[in-house]
Amino acid sequence: NLKGKAALVTGSTSGIGLGIARQLAGQGADLMLNGFGDAGYIAELCQSLSNEFGVRVAHNGADMSKPEEIEAMVAATEAAYGRLDVLVNNAGIQHVSPVDAFPVERWDAVIAINLSAVFHGTRAALPGMKARGWGRVINIASVHGLVASVNKSAYVAAKHGVIGLTKVTALELAETNITCNAICPGWVLTPLVQKQIDALAATRDLSVEEAGRELLSEKQPSKSFVTPEQLGELAVFLCSEAAGNMRGAALTMDGGWTAQ
Ligand code: NAD
């Protein structure tokens, strides 16, 4: 139960982050959402989550590629709720290209948003968690934090980095009631993956449904997508006292992807 606690989920206006935010709100946590989107859509999202779960919900539009905006967002969360107990570092982007053709600007953006932002969020949130004596840092890595795929050099490098950072953070906090763990999803049907399905459909002349099945069958033995709700339930478990001695783990939820 997270009643009286506050959670910040980066990149939570869509996809996995939104799924996790919903589950945390379901446990009673007040929410600070983050991510891009139309102002009207975001205002409605805050209102509907607040109505559905009876918690306070606000949004901070920090650009996760900007360290000073991340710091300010953590401060704004502590100012709004008087605390920040659960930090979910989730915001992420993808770019697909062979390494020797990878646009330098895309490399920098993927590393900034998928890796450096995890560092900046964590470093800003830890002093308050330490002062209050309890905290959960949950990093959304990927199967690509554990294994590679072609054409995803920046993403794979960033996600491997997130798992390394998770381990160091966990070790530094090992004697405290603050834990840090990573979740490693396989394919989840979100806008980030829909783009890759659409690209596959275009290059192989497939329907979108066929391309989705093709994408799954290449890597994910279950041949079904992991859902944001399932990932949210895992995040809720990591927030529980039962998970109090899980430290520095990289937990897969990947339909068997990395068991092969
Ligand atoms: P998504 O595109 O649906 O959502 C990404 C969220 O991040 C959105 O809310 C977006 O507005 C936000 N965002 C993007 N750039 C931002 C920036 N610069 N500043 C602030 N917010 C920003 O993607 P998703 O699939 O839900 O991915 C979420 C996380 O899960 C990412 O870290 C991704 O790498 C990881 N992941 C996704 C999958 C998958 O199959 N979808 C698998 C493994 C890991």
Side-chain angles (χ1 to χ4, degrees):
N1 193 299
L2 295 172
K3 262 198 185 50
K5 291 199 159 66
L8 165 60
V9 185
T10 72
S12 48
T13 51
S14 164
I16 294 170
L18 180 53
I20 291 175
R22 287 183 58 82
Q23 300 287 331
L24 296 177
Q27 295 297 309
D30 290 322
L31 291 179
M32 182 62 81
L33 302 179
N34 159 261
F36 299 144
D38 170 74
Y41 160 76
I42 290 172
E44 231 170 77
L45 182 62
C46 291
Q47 195 56 57
S48 72
L49 286 170
S50 177
N51 291 345
E52 184 173 351
F53 298 109
V55 298
R56 292 180 285 177
V57 183
H59 171 265
N60 184 292
D63 180 340
M64 297 305 291
S65 67
K66 307 225 163 78
E68 62 288 353
E69 293 190 20
I70 298 170
E71 268 182 66
M73 174 171 62
V74 169
T77 306
E78 290 177 327
Y81 301 128
R83 53 197 306 125
L84 169 53
D85 307 286
V86 178
L87 171 64
V88 182
N89 290 304
N90 165 79
I93 59 170
Q94 178 62 283
H95 186 83
V96 179
S97 163
V99 65
D100 54 336
F102 213 92
V104 171
E105 171 275 327
R106 284 293 87 197
W107 170 276
D108 289 342
V110 172
I111 297 298
I113 295 165
N114 294 21
L115 175 59
S116 299
V118 179
F119 162 68
H120 294 299
T122 303
R123 100 184 142 75
L126 284 182
M129 290 181 181
K130 286 179 177 173
R132 287 181 300 272
W134 194 91
R136 294 289 187 261
V137 178
I138 301 172
N139 296 330
I140 307 308
S142 167
V143 285
H144 285 122
L146 300 165
V147 297
S149 295
V150 294
N151 296 337
K152 295 186 175 176
S153 53
Y155 189 88
V156 169
K159 295 299 189 181
H160 276 67
V162 167
I163 290 181
L165 175 57
T166 300
K167 291 175 181 173
V168 174
T169 305
L171 288 177
E172 290 179 8
L173 298 165
E175 294 182 51
T176 73
N177 289 322
I178 305 166
T179 69
C180 179
N181 293 285
I183 294 178
C184 301
W187 290 124
V188 185
L189 191 54
T190 67
L192 181 143
V193 166
Q194 190 63 50
K195 274 187 219 157
Q196 296 172 64
I197 293 173
D198 294 345
L200 191 67
T203 52
R204 299 230 203 122
D205 197 25
L206 302 169
S207 73
V208 170
E209 291 70 35
E210 289 166 335
R213 278 196 295 275
E214 178 69 21
L215 183 100
L216 283 170
S217 67
E218 196 193 336
K219 298 277 185 183
Q220 195 147 305
S222 66
K223 296 191 173 65
S224 61
F225 289 101
V226 177
T227 67
E229 293 71 31
Q230 292 171 326
L231 293 163
E233 295 277 5
L234 180 53
V236 166
F237 176 72
L238 285 173
C239 292
S240 72
E241 292 315 310
N245 236 332
M246 295 186 74
R247 300 179 185 272
L251 303 165
T252 56
M253 190 180 278
D254 65 2
W257 183 321
T258 56
Q260 298 170 98

